[in-house]
Amino acid sequence: AANSTTLNFSTASADYRVGGLALVWDDDLVYEAVEVTEVSAGNLKIKRPLTGSYQSAMVAPMRLGYTASGVSFSRTGSDLTNSTVRFEIVDNVKLSLTSPPTTYKGYYALTDYTMVVGSMDEQVSRELDVLDNTSGVIHVDTLSNIPVRRAFTTSVAKTKADRWKAKTWYHYLNGKQKAFWLPTWNKDLELVEPILSSSQTMVVRYTGFAKYMGTADILVKLKSGTAYLNRVLSGELAPGNRENLILESAFPVNILLEDVQTICYLNLMRLDSDTIELSYSNGVMETNVTTVGVVE
């Protein structure tokens, strides 16, 4: 109602600030900006009373910005005008990570598929030194014995809470600065026997682990949503097209075959750019980022 100084709604998953601004909006003709004096979980208190009454208002944080390049307009013979504007925000702050992921070997591990990845493509390569004088044999040598792994991920956040979780996650990463564990989300290993909490052996269908991997970090995601992370120290062939994988530590519970959603590899990665673009359409936030492997 008009003259109200308290706006009652859930302020979770949004960047409301004491001393900052918020927008109260019913439609293109009924709206106003308010100055926030107090933020709590269930309401905002504002400095001056509302001047209008609102039936089904949207409330949103408001940022201060300027148009560094002005506003461009395009007009045609019809009654439509297209405008393009880019705002530079002047009151940015670093957002705090409100939902810390699971920690594994000193780094956060992303175990929530819906938060991070809509699709993911990978590329493994090595940096080469190519000597070619255009008139003789080409000489090729590797600059490093360590392959470069890149993963191109598409993140889709459909709810307010998921959008906020993703935003605070990218703020936490500080661009290329911080490493994290990224699952492949493939079904890399198939369990063929239950894993007992008293055992450090995991029996899987043959994949050539001992021959090609040696050691690896894995994520075991259960259908209940519970995630367990572990390191496979070695593998050996077993009868019946199986492999016995030796784990670094036993799991805290028995893991039954019917409870497993996926078992996939974990790779230590970082962002490959300091710039992240968040794209919004009909309430869905989509982010495309490239990550590059980090040597632990």
Side-chain angles (χ1 to χ4, degrees), residues 24-92:
V24 183
W25 184 94
D26 248 350
D27 58 43
D28 288 348
L29 298 177
V30 182
Y31 62 88
E32 61 187 286
V34 296
E35 185 176 349
V36 179
T37 59
E38 184 179 323
V39 180
S40 62
N43 62 63
L44 291 182
K45 294 190 181 299
I46 58 177
K47 188 172 184 178
R48 294 180 177 85
L50 289 178
T51 60
S53 297
Y54 296 87
Q55 301 303 313
S56 57
M58 177 189 74
V59 185
M62 181 178 282
R63 302 278 78 89
L64 295 175
Y66 67 98
T67 57
S69 302
V71 183
S72 300
F73 297 95
S74 174
R75 296 183 174 90
T76 63
S78 67
D79 59 353
L80 296 179
T81 299
N82 294 322
S83 62
T84 302
V85 58
R86 176 185 176 91
F87 292 96
E88 297 287 344
I89 306 303
V90 299
D91 56 350
N92 287 316

Side-chain angles (χ1 to χ4, degrees), residues 126-191:
R126 291 201 180 190
E127 294 185 359
L128 301 177
D129 187 12
V130 180
L131 302 177
D132 182 8
N133 62 8
T134 72
S135 63
V137 177
I138 299 175
H139 296 276
V140 180
D141 196 7
T142 57
L143 295 177
S144 173
N145 289 328
I146 301 174
V148 177
R149 176 184 295 274
R150 281 185 169 83
F152 310 94
T153 67
T154 299
S155 169
V156 178
K158 297 182 179 181
T159 68
K160 180 183 177 183
D162 285 343
R163 291 193 298 269
W164 183 250
K165 184 187 290 187
K167 283 184 189 177
T168 58
W169 169 247
Y170 289 126
H171 273 247
Y172 161 79
L173 290 178
N174 284 345
K176 297 185 288 186
Q177 188 177 48
K178 295 182 180 179
F180 59 96
W181 293 102
L182 179 65
T184 65
W185 293 116
N186 299 319
K187 293 185 177 181
D188 295 314
L189 299 171
E190 182 182 350
L191 196 66

Side-chain angles (χ1 to χ4, degrees), residues 225-246:
T226 304
Y228 296 106
L229 300 97
N230 213 326
R231 176 164 289 176
V232 180
L233 301 178
S234 62
E236 59 183 14
L237 285 174
N241 196 33
R242 299 179 174 191
E243 285 182 293
N244 294 330
L245 304 185
I246 308 304

Side-chain angles (χ1 to χ4, degrees), residues 199-200 229-231 233 247-251:
S199 173
Q200 290 180 230
L229 300 97
N230 213 326
R231 176 164 289 176
L233 301 178
L247 302 172
E248 185 176 59
S249 58
F251 290 106

